[in-house]
Every structure is written in C-alpha cells, then in structure tokens.
Amino acid sequence: EPEVTQTPSHQVTQMGQEVILRCVPISNHLYFYWYRQILGQKVEFLVSFYNNEISEKSEIFDDQFSVERPDGSNFTLKIRSTKLEDSAMYFCASRRGTTSTDTQYFGPGTRLTVL
Amino acid sequence: AQTVTQSQPEMSVQEAETVTLSCTYDTSESDYYLFWYKQPPSRQMILVIRQEAYKQQNATENRFSVNFQKAAKSFSLKISDSQLGDAAMYFCAYRSNRKGSSNTGKLIFGQGTTLQVKP
C-alpha cells in the first residue's frame, strides 16, 4: 500500500541554523500538509499546499517557514533560523483531493531537536 | 474557529474489555467530517474511523464504533474487545466540508488520549 515517507527521522540542529525536512507524499495525491506536535501537546496545522502554492497557513507559519515542491515528488518544509521552541515532531500528510470523503495520510514524522 | 477537545489525557482498559474515548468539538458549520486517528508508539498516525456530519447513522469499523451526537457536538470512540495492539494515542479530528477553494481540508486535532491496554 502506498505511504507517505519522511526524512530524516530525527534531526538535531543548533539554534539559528536552517533545516529542511523532507517528505514524499503518495504519488497521485494533490493536497499536501505539514503539521507539528510539540511534546505532550496537540497536533497543530502549519500549512497546506495545492497546485504549487500555499493554500492556507496558520499563525505558527511565519516568515521563518517555507514550503516547496521542487520536483513533483518531494515536499519540503524549511525553517530558516531555528529557535528552541521549534523543537517538535513534524508530520507531513497528503490527500488525493478528488472527492470530499478522501482521507489524509500521514508520514511517520521527523523529530526536530533544536539545541 | 473550530475547536476539538479531548478531556481524558489517559485511559486504561483490560484486554478484551470495552473502552470509550470522549471528544467534543465546537463549530458553527453544519457540514463537516470527524475522525479518530490512532498514533502507535512508532508515531505514524493511522485513520481509525470517519463520520460524516450529515449522516445520522454512527460509523463502525470492526471493533471500533462511534457515538455521534451532532446537537451535543460530541463524538466518542468505543473500542470493543480491546487488544494489546490497540495501545496508542488516539486523536479526534475535525475537517470542514464547506464548499469553495477556501476549504483546504486541514484537520483540527484534539489534545489526544493515551490508551493503555492491560493484559
């Protein structure tokens, strides 16, 4: 069964450094999402992406964040200058989008640790 | 704005018994979906069950069923004949079904309930 994959599984970085989290959504899916989960807290929506542009972003998704689908298969989340509070689990998700009942499929997540 | 609340941070159940996880939500919309996702220790979220708000009949998937009370904005998950593999964090989630390009299909999650299954 097709699945969403994410790399790396764990990323450790120093505060102020740039990180890129990578996702490969399911191949025939059209809608892509990033969510994050700070340890012990709820899963929060960051951004949705459709037709090669951001369709919605949350208040969390400030100028330090960007997303890109550079080659038609990968979907990346970049954090330009990481802060301690960016430490979280980041989940990518994709949805086919052809019907209103379709399901969002999640990747296994990338644990980001900012030191 | 829509919100989802899970008031039980942790629950436990004896193997083979039944457990109910609670979820309430707030919305002014009439057309939406509700979901229960399971997040095992491996951390990949898996869809357990889905309910469409305009359907009065409660959804069921094998040992999993929901009690959807639209007027009360309540959406609980019942797990029957609990198995050790059911141990996980369970998230309740809401998705709008309003028409138009402004609906991006994002999910709004509750805080999660950690379910422990005792042998």
Side-chain angles (χ1 to χ4, degrees), chain A residues 4 31 33 35 37 42-43 45 48 55-56 89 91 95 100-104 106-108 111, chain B residues 4 33 37 39 42-45 47 50 52 89 91 95 97 102 104-107 109-111:
Chain A
V4 178
Y31 291 80
Y33 306 86
Y35 295 83
Q37 184 183 24
K42 67 165 67 178
V43 177
F45 166 76
S48 61
S55 48
E56 185 176 0
M89 197 78 171
F91 294 101
R95 179 171 73 91
S100 61
T101 58
D102 59 352
T103 299
Q104 218 166 110
F106 284 81
R111 179 175 298 284
Chain B
V4 177
Y33 296 101
Y37 276 87
Q39 188 183 38
S42 65
R43 319 272 310 175
Q44 185 156 15
M45 269 188 285
L47 179 65
R50 170 178 57 213
E52 298 167 45
M89 179 164 275
F91 289 98
R95 192 183 106 194
N97 194 35
S102 64
T104 61
K106 72 179 182 191
L107 294 172
F109 287 90
Q111 300 90 328

Side-chain angles (χ1 to χ4, degrees), chain B residues 6 8 10-12 19-23 36 75-79 88-91 113-115:
Chain B
Q6 293 176 252
Q8 305 156 317
E10 295 179 357
M11 292 283 284
S12 67
V19 64
T20 298
L21 309 184
S22 301
C23 173
W36 279 98
F75 181 62
S76 60
L77 174 70
K78 185 170 86 169
I79 307 174
M89 179 164 275
Y90 287 81
F91 289 98
T113 297
T114 300
L115 177 65

Side-chain angles (χ1 to χ4, degrees), chain A residues 62-107:
Chain A
D62 61 22
D63 293 343
Q64 293 300 314
F65 291 88
S66 62
V67 289
E68 201 176 34
R69 189 157 158 80
D71 55 12
S73 62
N74 290 284
F75 179 50
T76 62
L77 174 69
K78 182 194 290 186
I79 310 175
R80 286 189 188 81
S81 177
T82 50
K83 307 191 231 351
L84 294 176
E85 53 265 37
D86 293 328
S87 294
M89 197 78 171
Y90 288 80
F91 294 101
C92 173
S94 71
R95 179 171 73 91
R96 188 163 182 199
T98 51
T99 72
S100 61
T101 58
D102 59 352
T103 299
Q104 218 166 110
Y105 292 87
F106 284 81

